[in-house]
Amino acid sequence: QKEVEQNSGPLSVPEGAIASLNCTYSDRGSQSFFWYRQYSGKSPELIMFIYSNGDKEDGRFTAQLNKASQYVSLLIRDSQPSDSATYLCAVKAGNQFYFGTGTSLTVIP
Amino acid sequence: EAQVTQNPRYLITVTGKKLTVTCSQNMNHEYMSWYRQDPGLGLRQIYYSMNVEVTDKGDVPEGYKVSRKEKRNFPLILESPSPNQTSLYFCASSLSFASGEQYFGPGTRLTVT
């Protein structure tokens, strides 16, 4: 059984701070890694993807991948109240996608 | 507008009454997938389709069927729903499995009594 694990939180950060979200996965053959944001009552929305070891930046978001440690993270700089949501880590392995249970983030104004 | 649509959005039904949840995308995507989302269990893949007429089981396929006769449509069929299939269902699509970037439909809240 391929597993993707996230700390469920809740994670609370003050507005303007850096939020750090972490994810580990069990399958060393995993190929690609994704972060989705899900607002309450809404569908998941893709915000970042990363395929290679290292960092990938897109605006206020940075995804970090360490395949040796089987670890993926998402940093959100200058956190805003609108970033308050559940963040889902997803991994592509074989022909399927595997999701973590999500980390709930609250940004406090 | 590029989108994935699902119908119905909400459904309450009784045990054993066959139902179909439709999913359609207008982006000419090859890969389509169905997920269910349950508290504490996250999103779990039910079935997926690499392309027309190519479907395969995900992690939780029991009690579900799918078909992919056209590229844009990927219906989910529950032949004999049971209460343990009460869940929030999402359809998703991506340009290809290789690309991996999935776009999700709005979800279908299913209750089986």
Side-chain angles (χ1 to χ4, degrees):
Chain A
Q1 178 73 20
K2 297 178 174 61
E3 293 182 347
V4 179
E5 297 197 0
Q6 298 180 251
N7 186 329
S8 62
L11 173 66
S12 293
V13 300
E15 184 174 355
I18 296 175
S20 178
L21 305 160
N22 305 315
C23 172
T24 59
Y25 58 95
S26 63
D27 184 4
R28 284 196 173 274
S30 299
Q31 304 139 353
S32 312
F33 308 86
F34 306 86
W35 284 99
Y36 290 83
R37 176 176 62 201
Q38 187 174 25
Y39 292 114
S40 181
K42 301 294 186 182
S43 56
E45 172 193 13
L46 179 69
I47 53 172
M48 288 287 290
F49 59 89
I50 186 167
Y51 301 144
S52 305
N53 275 331
D55 294 0
K56 179 181 179 183
E57 187 174 317
D58 184 0
R60 295 187 296 112
F61 298 97
T62 299
Q64 299 174 317
L65 173 61
N66 184 326
K67 288 187 177 181
S69 300
Q70 296 175 244
Y71 178 88
V72 192
S73 66
L74 179 70
L75 300 178
I76 306 174
R77 290 182 300 281
D78 188 24
S79 295
Q80 301 297 310
S82 60
D83 294 327
S84 297
T86 296
Y87 289 80
L88 307 177
C89 173
V91 170
K92 186 172 79 169
N95 288 339
Q96 294 185 232
F97 293 90
Y98 300 89
F99 283 77
T101 54
T103 298
S104 175
L105 172 67
T106 300
V107 180
I108 303 166
Chain B
E1 179 190 353
Q3 60 182 348
V4 179
T5 57
Q6 293 179 229
N7 282 292
R9 295 288 313 278
Y10 303 91
L11 180 60
I12 300 174
T13 190
V14 296
T15 299
K17 186 177 181 181
K18 181 179 179 180
L19 66 92
T20 299
V21 184
T22 64
C23 172
S24 184
Q25 50 90 8
N26 62 0
M27 297 171 279
N28 201 35
H29 283 176
E30 290 184 347
Y31 186 88
M32 296 185 75
S33 183
W34 276 103
Y35 297 89
R36 60 178 291 174
Q37 188 173 37
D38 302 288
L41 296 177
L43 275 164
R44 293 179 293 167
Q45 198 166 26
I46 303 171
Y47 269 95
Y48 61 93
S49 170
M50 293 288 198
N51 213 325
V52 177
E53 303 289 4
V54 182
T55 63
D56 209 344
K57 297 177 181 178
D59 278 346
V60 287
E62 294 78 19
Y64 305 95
K65 285 176 59 177
V66 294
S67 67
R68 186 95 181 271
K69 294 183 170 57
E70 305 166 282
K71 200 170 188 179
R72 63 183 295 128
N73 296 323
F74 190 44
L76 179 70
I77 302 158
L78 285 73
E79 297 259 352
S80 182
S82 62
N84 65 11
Q85 293 179 296
T86 292
S87 187
L88 178 59
Y89 291 87
F90 288 104
C91 179
S93 73
S94 67
L95 185 61
S96 66
F97 178 70
S99 73
E101 299 139 50
Q102 295 185 88
Y103 296 85
F104 281 78
T108 296
R109 174 78 65 182
L110 172 65
T111 301
V112 184
T113 61

